[in-house]
Amino acid sequence: MYDPKPEHKFSFGLWTVGNIGRDPFGEPTRTQKSPVEIVHMLAEVGAWGVNFHDNDLVPINATASERDQIVRDFKQALDDTGLVVPMATTNLFSDPVFRDGAFTSNDARVRAYALQKTMNAIDLGVELGATTYVFWGGREGTETDAGKDPLAAGKWFREALNFLTGYVKDQQYDLRFALEPKPNEPRGDIYLPTVGAALAFIETLDDSEMVGVNPEVAHEHMAGLNFTHHVAQAMDAGKLFHIDLNDQAFGRYDQDFRFGSVNLKSAFFLVKLLEDNGYDNPRHFDAHAYRSSDYEDVKAFARGNMRTYLILKEKAQQFNADAEIQALLAEITQTDGTVDGFGGGFSAEKAAALQAHSFDRTAIAQRGQPYERLDQLVVELLLGVR
Ligand code: GCO
Ligand code: MN
Ligand code: MN
C-alpha cells in the first residue's frame, strides 16, 4: 500500500543517494558509486526518476569521447531499469571559477562561461529526456555587500535567464526552467532568498511563462518560514514546476534530512496541499542519508522518504473523510448569509450597500473558533489513534 509507483513521480538526484558523507569537518564515509550503479540502486528501491547536475554524470574535464561513453552507459542503465530523467541542472558552484558566483559574478568572463556551461548542460539534460531544468543559484550571492552591487547582480541574473530561454526556444526544446531559492549556504547571503522573491523576479523575465520555481523544504525552514504557505503561493501563480522534498530543523545548518524526519506535522500539511490540489510534477527528494549510514542504510533512507510521503498522503485522505474534522471545518467557515451580497468583486452599488451595512462587532467576535479541538484531532490522526 505504501509502495512507490511510477504515477507518484518520486525522483532522486544522483547526488542524493550518491552522497558520500563528506562534510566541512570530515572526509567521506562512503565510497563513490558510479552513475550507473546509482541508477540501479534507485530502481531497486522503487524510484521513478533520476536527476543530475552535468558534472554528476560527466566530469568537468572529460573529453568528448569520454562524455559519449558515459552517456551511452547511462542510457543503457535507464533502459535496463526503466528509470526516467525528469530534471537536469548545472553545477555552477563546485569549481573555484564560481567562487564569487556564476551568472552574478563580477567577472564578465565567468558570467559568459556560466552561460556556455549551462547551454552544454541543457543539451545533455534534454538528450537524456529532461523536461524541467533547475537553477539553484548556490554561489549567486555575497559575504559582503562592499564588493557587489545587488542591482547589477539582479540585472546579470535576468540577462542570463533571458539568454537561456532564448536558447531553449531556438533549439525548440520542450523544457521549462525552475528557480530554486535558498537564503544562505554556501554563500553568506544568496540572491533571491525565498520563493516569494523568486516569483516576483520571474515576472520581470522576457519568457516568464517558461519559468517557475523549485521550492525546497529545508531552504524555507532555514529562513524560519512556513514552507507550505510558500508552496501555496507558487501553486496559486501556476509556477510550481518542481519540488525538493527533505527536512530541516529550524535554526540549524543545512541538514538535507529524510523527508518527514524532523517536522512531521508540517510535512503532513505540505503533502495535503499537494495532493488536495492535484500536484502532478516530479516529487524530488533532495536529501541525503546520515553520514553514519552505509549503503544498506542509504537504501532505507531512500525508501523512507517515499514511504513517509505515501503514509502522509493516506493521512490527508483520512483528514478529508473524517466526519468530526469536517464538521468542525464546516462550523468554522459557515456563514449566516448576511454578507453574501458583498463578495465577488467591486461594484459601486455593492460598495454603497457595504458602507451602509451595520456590523455587530461584539457578536461576531464572540463566535467560537475551535482550532484547539481541530488541531488535537490532527495530532491524534498523525499519531495513529484515530
Ligand atoms: C542545496 C540545493 C541543491 C540543489 C541542486 C539542484 O541546498 O545544495 O538544494 O541540492 O537542489 O543543486 O539544483
Ligand atoms: Mn538544499
Ligand atoms: Mn534542492
Side-chain angles (χ1 to χ4, degrees), residues 250-285:
F250 285 74
R252 297 290 172 88
Y253 68 97
D254 182 11
Q255 296 177 310
D256 286 335
F257 284 152
R258 193 178 75 255
F259 181 61
S261 62
V262 185
N263 304 288
L264 206 44
K265 198 172 159 195
S266 7
F268 165 71
F269 288 121
L270 172 65
V271 171
K272 184 170 182 310
L273 178 79
L274 295 173
E275 297 301 321
D276 283 355
N277 294 286
Y279 175 77
D280 195 30
N281 292 324
R283 294 171 177 81
H284 172 221
F285 296 103

Side-chain angles (χ1 to χ4, degrees), residues 82-161:
L83 254 81
V84 298
V85 173
M87 176 273 257
T89 182
T90 330
N91 184 326
L92 295 172
F93 44 89
S94 293
D95 194 272
V97 74
F98 300 124
R99 67 199 189 282
D100 189 32
F103 303 134
T104 66
S105 167
N106 271 325
D107 187 331
R109 296 168 305 174
V110 175
R111 299 199 297 275
Y113 172 61
L115 279 181
Q116 184 203 60
K117 192 173 194 288
T118 303
M119 285 190 289
N120 291 339
I122 286 176
D123 293 345
L124 177 68
V126 169
E127 182 180 348
L128 288 159
T131 52
T132 303
Y133 202 83
V134 164
F135 290 81
W136 171 62
R139 295 274 176 204
E140 313 288 12
T142 59
E143 283 71 43
T144 165
D145 289 332
K148 208 185 283 185
D149 172 359
L151 279 176
K155 184 173 139 284
W156 290 330
F157 213 151
R158 179 178 306 112
E159 273 173 13
L161 288 166

